[in-house]
Amino acid sequence: MRFIVKLFPEIMIKGGPVKKRMITMLYENLRTLLHRIDGEIVVKRFWDKIEVECEDVFIDAVRNTLQKTPGVEQYLEVVQYQTGEDLELIGEKVALHHLQSISGKTFVVRAKRSGTHDVSSFDLERFVGAYLYEKGEPAGVDLHNAQVKVEFELHQHTLNVITKRQAGLGGFPIGMQGDVLSLMSGGFDSTVASYLTMKRGLKTHFIFFNLGGAAHEVGVKQVALYLWSQFGASHRVQFVSVPFEEVVAEIFNATHESYMGVTLKRLMLMAAEKVADAMGIDALVTGESVAQVSSQTLRNLAVIDEVSNKLVLRPLATMNKPEIVEIADKIGTREFAENMPEYCGVISKNPVTNASFERMAKEAKRFDYSVLEKAVDQAVSLPVDKIIEDVNQQAPVEVVNHIGDEVVIDIRREAEVNHRPLSVTADAEVLNIPFHELNRKFKALDQQKTYLLYCDKGVMSQLHAQYLRDAGFINVKVYRPLA
């Protein structure tokens, strides 16, 4: 199968040197990703497109990669023939792929040329349209509202018959716009903000402030891993975890309750700035949306930003919650966000919505910043691609490799279960309960039995086993079959 990758329009309008660098970066990113699928996949770079050729067995994996790689506007699935300008041969080859699709339907033919030709695009469309009309059984030709659009391209002597056109992610290739550090809580806002920066070509690292929950950290690691593997895996990034429990305790000791929420956000920015400095990163990313909550009024955001010299990007600044949730739905993070535990250690009573710079300065003077320095010093950085290994090594819930009398609960989504069914012995009992339904449905199960949670990577099963343990269910373990 051959794919023609069309570039994001903003790439094509750049000046020559910049456009060349962007195309080269996208080419390198695709090579990196596609060669993980199969080292024999061919990737070719041209001045206005990239072509990919693979064996049929890898078609689905290549499609998935092209759909989710920043910089790809769309891709075409094509079949190539060497036809020259032989109109009869061109009509014959196009008919091979489209006669059946136009049967009983209206159709239109659209042709593009590149190179030097004696025939025009109009000539090609008229001839091939007549050929298809004569050889097939269409309902007719409709130039404006056809049910089927037949497309092909003639490049010099090569005919590309387009069998499918699929939208890509758009945006710029990752690696062209520098690095950012995204403040991640794992909820709707921070995950969507991180996705948007990745889509724009920013190499997005993650920083998590642990306010007091091991399960929360595992959950955020899982969604960070998901975002990276789906949209940013061409580059290695870091996941930084900062222990913030003592910082929260100091906020309670030193800050007036109405300023606690703003103070927490300021301290997170201060810590993120220190980590970003150490990583050589110039910008921070947050999921804040203007006026969504009390700490996100314009005045409060200004008071928060006062503590940092870094550029703070807020991709969601003007979005409302339904818009954010819609994007989360589209990119597959909604279920993660809905099931993310909340460990908000600082909840202001009567929170200030129009913070005073002068009052904030007084509150800040009472804070012991050695606590913040200690938290930053204790931060742990981990490559995102090592998260699975890290979670499984540190797993506090027992992991078993063989099934005895226990019941296995496959917590993957239905589509994942259907695509890769779990292989177990015939006498093993397996229940399919997606992770986002597990907390609600588990209590109705027979609690005299022991349950083994299963997912592909072992991260979500570990996370939800911890949830259930925290809720008082001790009859839960994690199932990790031996490779």
Side-chain angles (χ1 to χ4, degrees):
M1 171 64 73
R2 186 180 298 271
F3 301 85
I4 297 177
V5 178
K6 302 290 187 177
L7 310 176
F8 184 50
E10 286 186 44
I11 296 176
M12 298 307 295
I13 64 174
K14 299 291 185 185
V18 174
K19 179 169 68 176
K20 183 177 180 181
R21 287 200 303 274
M22 286 191 171
I23 295 173
T24 299
M25 179 60 72
L26 179 57
Y27 165 76
E28 294 294 344
N29 291 353
L30 286 174
R31 272 176 49 90
T32 297
L33 295 169
L34 294 173
H35 283 179
R36 289 176 189 164
I37 299 170
D38 177 57
E40 300 301 314
I41 292 177
V42 177
V43 185
K44 296 180 181 179
R45 177 185 57 200
F46 299 88
W47 73 271
D48 63 341
K49 63 180 178 180
I50 293 172
E51 291 191 3
V52 177
E53 189 171 358
C54 71
E55 298 292 333
D56 287 352
V57 68
F58 301 116
I59 288 176
D60 287 342
V62 172
R63 284 172 177 158
N64 184 61
T65 298
L66 295 180
Q67 286 176 26
K68 296 177 179 178
T69 300
V72 176
E73 174 68 11
Q74 59 179 301
Y75 68 85
L76 314 178
E77 296 183 17
V78 305
V79 181
Q80 286 191 337
Y81 300 99
Q82 296 302 314
T83 60
E85 295 186 3
D86 186 333
L87 294 179
E88 192 73 26
L89 184 56
I90 291 172
E92 176 186 325
K93 298 304 183 185
V94 173
L96 281 176
H97 300 277
H98 287 291
L99 275 187
Q100 185 173 357
S101 67
I102 67 173
S103 180
K105 298 178 181 179
T106 59
F107 76 101
V108 65
V109 176
R110 294 289 181 246
K112 289 186 178 179
R113 299 171 309 140
S114 59
T116 303
H117 300 280
D118 292 332
V119 295
S120 67
S121 297
F122 178 73
D123 293 333
L124 290 168
E125 291 171 355
R126 185 173 57 180
F127 183 89
V128 172
Y131 188 96
L132 294 176
Y133 192 86
E134 178 185 348
K135 302 294 183 180
E137 298 180 351
V141 174
D142 189 332
L143 299 180
H144 303 291
N145 296 295
Q147 293 172 284
V148 178
K149 181 161 67 171
V150 176
E151 299 179 277
F152 63 90
E153 297 180 356
L154 186 63
H155 176 68
Q156 295 296 79
H157 299 294
T158 302
L159 172 69
N160 290 317
V161 180
I162 300 170
T163 58
K164 184 177 182 180
R165 183 186 294 270
Q166 177 66 48
L169 196 62
F172 291 122
I174 288 182
M176 284 300 299
Q177 308 302 321
D179 294 35
V180 294
L181 183 62
S182 180
L183 281 65
M184 280 282 290
S185 68
F188 285 103
D189 301 340
S190 61
T191 53
V192 171
S194 298
Y195 158 75
L196 292 174
T197 57
M198 297 165 79
K199 178 180 176 180
R200 198 62 181 170
L202 294 161
K203 186 178 174 183
T204 302
H205 304 264
F206 307 96
I207 184 167
F208 167 67
F209 296 96
N210 195 329
L211 305 181
H216 192 185
E217 179 166 340
V218 175
V220 177
K221 283 181 175 177
Q222 167 69 10
V223 75
L225 175 64
Y226 173 84
L227 284 169
W228 173 79
S229 62
Q230 292 292 305
F231 309 110
S234 57
H235 289 70
R236 206 176 198 194
V237 300
Q238 297 293 311
F239 182 96
V240 182
S241 179
V242 184
F244 240 50
E245 296 95 329
E246 292 185 19
V247 175
V248 169
E250 176 61 16
I251 291 175
F252 275 106
N253 289 333
T255 307
H256 188 276
E257 59 187 16
S258 64
Y259 273 76
M260 285 182 177
V262 172
T263 297
L264 176 63
K265 294 291 185 69
R266 282 165 59 97
L267 293 170
M268 286 180 173
L269 272 194
M270 292 174 70
E273 180 179 57
K274 294 177 183 296
V275 172
D277 281 340
M279 297 174 69
I281 293 175
D282 294 324
L284 307 176
V285 178
T286 77
E288 290 156 324
S289 173
V290 173
Q292 184 178 136
V293 296
S294 60
S295 66
Q296 296 174 19
T297 62
L298 283 180
R299 169 57 69 87
N300 285 359
L301 291 175
V303 171
I304 291 168
D305 284 2
E306 181 189 29
V307 300
S308 176
N309 292 318
K310 294 290 183 187
L311 171 65
V312 180
L313 301 176
R314 293 186 170 91
L316 312 185
T318 61
M319 290 188 187
N320 58 43
K321 201 66 174 186
E323 291 173 321
I324 296 168
V325 172
E326 183 179 352
I327 296 175
D329 248 338
K330 174 184 173 183
I331 65 176
T333 60
R334 176 172 184 161
E335 290 165 347
F336 293 107
E338 288 178 336
N339 289 273
M340 195 66 61
E342 288 290 344
Y343 287 95
C344 188
V346 178
I347 302 176
S348 296
K349 184 177 180 181
N350 299 319
V352 62
T353 58
N354 191 36
S356 161
F357 284 95
E358 293 77 12
R359 172 67 182 277
M360 189 68 249
K362 292 177 182 178
E363 295 291 335
K365 285 181 180 179
R366 292 199 289 268
F367 190 85
D368 180 2
Y369 288 94
S370 66
V371 176
L372 184 67
E373 295 286 349
K374 179 182 176 182
V376 174
D377 289 342
Q378 293 178 341
V380 176
S381 183
L382 174 74
V384 169
D385 56 295
K386 298 295 183 182
I387 282 177
I388 296 171
E389 178 183 330
D390 175 72
V391 170
N392 287 332
Q393 284 180 351
Q394 300 184 26
V397 177
E398 182 182 353
V399 177
V400 301
N401 307 119
H402 300 282
I403 305 170
D405 297 330
E406 304 93 345
V407 178
V408 177
I409 302 179
D410 191 335
I411 67 171
R412 297 174 297 167
R413 294 182 175 99
E414 182 180 356
E416 295 175 288
V417 173
N418 293 337
H419 184 62
R420 291 185 301 276
L422 175 60
S423 177
V424 296
T425 57
D427 59 342
E429 183 179 356
V430 179
L431 303 177
N432 293 317
I433 306 177
F435 71 88
H436 52 92
E437 298 179 1
L438 185 63
N439 292 351
R440 176 171 54 86
K441 291 186 175 182
F442 188 83
K443 62 185 71 173
L445 300 178
D446 182 355
Q447 299 304 317
Q448 299 304 309
K449 297 181 179 180
T450 298
Y451 296 92
L452 307 180
L453 305 191
Y454 171 79
C455 66
D456 279 334
K457 314 242 181 202
V459 180
M460 285 300 286
S461 53
Q462 185 62 231
L463 168 64
H464 284 275
Q466 289 181 42
Y467 288 173
L468 294 172
R469 287 289 185 106
D470 290 345
F473 298 102
I474 61 173
N475 55 333
V476 183
K477 300 178 183 179
V478 171
Y479 175 51
R480 291 288 294 159
L482 295 173

